[in-house]
Amino acid sequence: MEVLYKSTRDDSKTVQASQAILKGLSEDGGLFVPDHIPSLEKSLRELSDMEYREIAYEVMKLFLTDFTEQELKDCINKAYDSKFDTEEIAPLVEADHAYYLELFHGATIAFKDMALSILPHLMITSARKNHVEDEIVILTATSGDTGKAALAGFADVEGTKIIVFYPKNGVSPIQEKQMVTQKGNNTYVIGIHGNFDDAQTGVKQIFSDKDLEKEMKDRGFCFSSANSINIGRLVPQIVYYVYSYVKLLQEGKIEDGETINVVVPTGNFGNILAAFYAKNMGVPIDKLICASNENKVLYDFFRTGSYDRNRDFMLTSSPSMDILISSNLERLIYRIAENDAKKNAELMAALTREGSYHITEEMKVQLADFYGNYADEQETADRIKELYEKTGYIIDTHTAVASAVYQKYKAETGDGKKTVIASTASPFKFTRSVMNAIDAKYDSMSDFELVDELSGLANVKVPKAIEEIRSAPVIHDTICDKSKMKETVKEILGL
């Protein structure tokens, strides 16, 4: 059955998957959502005999129904190839009574690679299908990982340019080095004076600027997004939650149909939303455990039903989660508002106008699948140290937030179900925070000395992504004020 896409703010029109991927964001500012969530066609037992690429096809074909089998398989095979440093693509590692789903074995050692390796191929295929002649300008805000993964995915892809904005002082040194050394004649990286929410808001304003859209059209350009608001980012993320379940089944860790819990370190809400979609496709997931850092706007939302970004913005050791406006939550709000676009639009308008909104008691009841909690900086560091000392396994700061929250969940509920924790970045991406958590003596070392020390401690080879940037020259050094983002884009495009 065909899946069509509609906006969360005006569902009077539908578009096909390829059109939703090309647009990124709906004209009314809403996000594209499927008109229904399809059920898995093959049984979990059948899927357990498949490798990652085959499972990706079985999941993605149900959402991207206007892609031919050949088109979709080509995209999948080009995405999940030797750029991943493990054959499994997303290995599951058991440590301290939980299963860590390692989503960081791609080109930029963060979970964003899982979707951003395939998005350029989905987008170029979508452009051909819709006879798009204009050059596609990918415009993205990043809190650290999306930017590099998108840059790597779109670098030198014909018919595209990519412009990435990041908070100048809001990413780790290695995240920044990865971005500013990015090669590619079509890549542009700009640091802004502001935080991630400023960058994200600026990008959304540029997208909704009708005068700029016309000016670009006249010059042969059109915008699209590589942020997690693009449905072409969200659909590939569903795959690894299906994969993690059937992998546990294949290895005899669970019985067929046994429910598991999933823990996700959460900022923009896309990654945990993908797990929610997997559950609704038929994967036996019980609790979706939403882990926040000290920017705990989601924890407060799940506890009270009020979403309120009127608070201090905290810079933490898990910068990819330093977010107060969780864009993808809108897709869940639309759903729990009984797919009422008018009601959702009112709530989002309140968020823009007042910085907060409040859901009804009826909507709150529908959040029963979710559990929210947070870990502060000390708890995050303590969990890295504790897990290392217990097992020798070293995790990054974002994964540590999830792991610490999982400990709280177990203590609070006594729930002993098998649990998958989304491990969203390599510890090599946040070496200083990780090594300092293990022992303060490491703080005197340089960033790359820490890399080598971590490699020895974890008994893990230094990833290629880190080796490449040791001596790479800085290519991108543009900085702008958050109020000048549009002017910077126009300058890049020669408008």
Side-chain angles (χ1 to χ4, degrees):
M1 187 180 172
E2 187 177 27
V3 173
L4 295 171
Y5 291 82
K6 52 193 179 180
S7 167
T8 50
R9 300 188 191 182
D10 175 9
D11 52 13
S12 60
K13 292 181 291 196
T14 57
V15 297
Q16 291 187 308
S18 62
Q19 294 167 316
I21 288 168
L22 278 174
K23 286 173 182 284
L25 195 65
S26 175
E27 287 96 341
D28 52 42
L31 309 189
F32 287 111
V33 286
D35 60 359
H36 67 283
I37 296 178
S39 298
L40 290 167
E41 290 179 349
K42 288 196 161 48
S43 71
L44 296 164
R45 184 59 73 190
E46 285 174 296
L47 291 171
S48 72
D49 293 328
M50 297 182 181
E51 50 100 33
Y52 194 89
R53 282 168 283 267
E54 294 170 317
I55 293 169
Y57 175 70
E58 290 300 326
V59 173
M60 292 173 67
K61 73 176 185 181
L62 303 175
F63 285 94
L64 310 181
T65 49
D66 63 329
F67 282 68
T68 67
E69 180 177 350
Q70 192 59 52
E71 284 170 339
L72 190 49
K73 284 185 172 174
D74 279 351
C75 290
I76 288 167
N77 290 332
K78 284 173 183 168
Y80 304 113
D81 60 8
S82 60
K83 71 175 79 68
F84 285 83
D85 64 17
T86 54
E87 224 174 288
E88 301 103 308
I89 306 296
L92 265 178
V93 176
E94 188 173 358
D96 196 22
H97 311 296
Y99 297 91
Y100 289 82
L101 179 63
E102 293 188 344
L103 301 172
F104 53 75
H105 288 280
T108 74
I109 58 173
F111 83 101
K112 308 293 173 78
D113 289 322
M114 301 298 292
L116 283 164
S117 293
I118 194 168
L119 182 62
H121 304 294
L122 294 175
M123 202 167 272
I124 295 305
T125 305
S126 296
R128 280 201 300 268
K129 292 172 84 67
N130 289 278
H131 313 291
V132 172
E133 303 294 333
D134 293 337
E135 188 166 11
I136 299 167
V137 179
I138 307 298
L139 189 63
T140 289
T142 184
S143 54
D145 287 335
T146 286
K148 173 58 183 179
L151 288 160
F154 281 95
D156 291 325
V157 170
E158 203 177 327
T160 69
K161 288 189 193 310
I162 174 159
I163 304 171
V164 170
F165 289 98
Y166 74 97
K168 176 63 187 150
N169 297 310
V171 300
S172 81
I174 284 180
Q175 283 178 313
E176 183 171 45
K177 189 90 189 279
Q178 281 189 300
M179 286 190 282
V180 298
T181 58
Q182 175 67 49
K183 295 174 185 169
N185 291 327
N186 63 338
T187 63
Y188 304 88
V189 180
I190 300 103
I192 69 156
H193 297 303
N195 59 41
F196 170 72
D197 287 336
D198 296 325
Q200 183 168 252
T201 300
V203 164
K204 283 184 174 178
Q205 285 169 348
I206 293 169
F207 267 116
S208 58
D209 189 319
K210 296 298 175 193
D211 292 337
L212 179 58
E213 184 184 351
K214 183 180 183 310
E215 198 177 341
M216 287 181 62
K217 183 75 181 161
D218 292 344
R219 298 291 291 275
F221 294 116
C222 65
F223 276 136
S224 190
S225 171
N227 273 78
S228 57
I229 54 175
N230 193 313
I231 200 71
R233 272 279 304 273
L234 187 61
V235 169
Q237 291 180 279
I238 301 167
V239 175
Y240 49 73
Y241 292 109
V242 178
Y243 174 80
S244 64
Y245 185 90
V246 300
K247 187 80 176 160
L248 289 173
L249 185 58
Q250 180 202 31
E251 292 176 357
K253 308 286 189 188
I254 55 172
E255 300 293 324
D256 194 354
E258 182 181 341
T259 56
I260 65 168
N261 294 326
V262 171
V263 190
V264 187
T266 308
N268 224 2
F269 206 75
N271 203 3
I272 196 165
L273 184 72
F276 176 73
Y277 278 20
K279 173 173 177 153
N280 282 273
M281 291 184 83
V283 179
I285 296 170
D286 183 21
K287 280 291 179 214
L288 296 152
I289 299 169
C290 179
S292 300
N293 65 16
E294 288 180 354
N295 291 292
K296 56 188 182 67
V297 65
L298 287 167
Y299 163 67
D300 292 338
F301 168 71
F302 283 117
R303 202 166 45 91
T304 66
S306 292
Y307 191 96
D308 188 354
R309 65 173 172 85
N310 299 309
R311 61 183 71 202
D312 290 338
F313 185 95
M314 315 288 278
L315 288 174
T316 74
S317 61
S318 47
S320 299
M321 299 160 67
D322 290 348
I323 292 172
L324 294 180
I325 304 172
S326 300
S327 290
N328 274 289
L329 184 63
E330 179 170 347
R331 287 185 164 114
L332 181 66
I333 297 298
Y334 171 78
R335 185 181 171 91
I336 65 172
E338 305 290 350
N339 300 338
D340 183 338
K342 186 169 176 287
K343 172 71 176 166
N344 176 69
E346 286 168 4
L347 292 171
M348 295 308 125
L351 182 63
T352 302
R353 195 173 57 247
E354 293 142 24
S356 65
Y357 60 80
H358 314 281
I359 62 171
T360 63
E361 285 303 315
E362 292 77 20
M363 291 168 75
K364 221 174 144 181
V365 168
Q366 293 188 62
L367 295 176
D369 288 343
F370 291 88
Y371 166 91
N373 214 320
Y374 76 100
D376 65 25
E377 288 290 86
Q378 191 59 54
E379 290 168 328
T380 302
D382 288 348
R383 185 57 188 153
I384 292 171
K385 184 181 174 73
E386 179 188 28
L387 192 63
Y388 168 67
E389 289 180 345
K390 258 190 182 179
T391 67
Y393 187 56
I394 300 180
I395 54 176
D396 92 293
T397 45
H398 302 74
T399 309
V401 168
S403 188
V405 164
Y406 177 51
Q407 298 304 308
K408 290 184 179 185
Y409 171 77
K410 280 198 299 184
E412 192 178 308
T413 64
D415 185 353
K417 286 187 192 71
K418 305 280 187 353
T419 295
V420 170
I421 296 175
S423 185
T424 52
S426 164
F428 286 96
K429 210 153 191 173
F430 303 94
T431 46
R432 188 162 301 279
S433 297
V434 168
M435 296 299 279
N436 278 352
I438 291 169
D439 194 322
K441 72 181 183 187
Y442 294 116
D443 199 34
S444 60
M445 292 184 177
S446 72
D447 286 320
F448 284 102
E449 284 174 333
L450 287 170
V451 163
D452 295 327
E453 195 71 23
L454 173 57
S455 174
L457 215 54
N459 199 22
V460 173
K461 195 177 161 194
V462 176
K464 187 178 160 198
I466 299 294
E467 290 292 7
E468 283 175 349
I469 62 169
R470 276 189 197 262
S471 55
V474 170
I475 296 169
H476 308 278
D477 57 4
T478 306
I479 311 287
C480 81
D481 190 75
K482 63 185 180 185
S483 63
K484 299 290 183 189
M485 288 169 63
K486 176 180 165 182
E487 287 80 354
T488 306
V489 169
K490 290 181 73 168
E491 198 176 309
I492 288 168
L493 300 178
L495 300 178

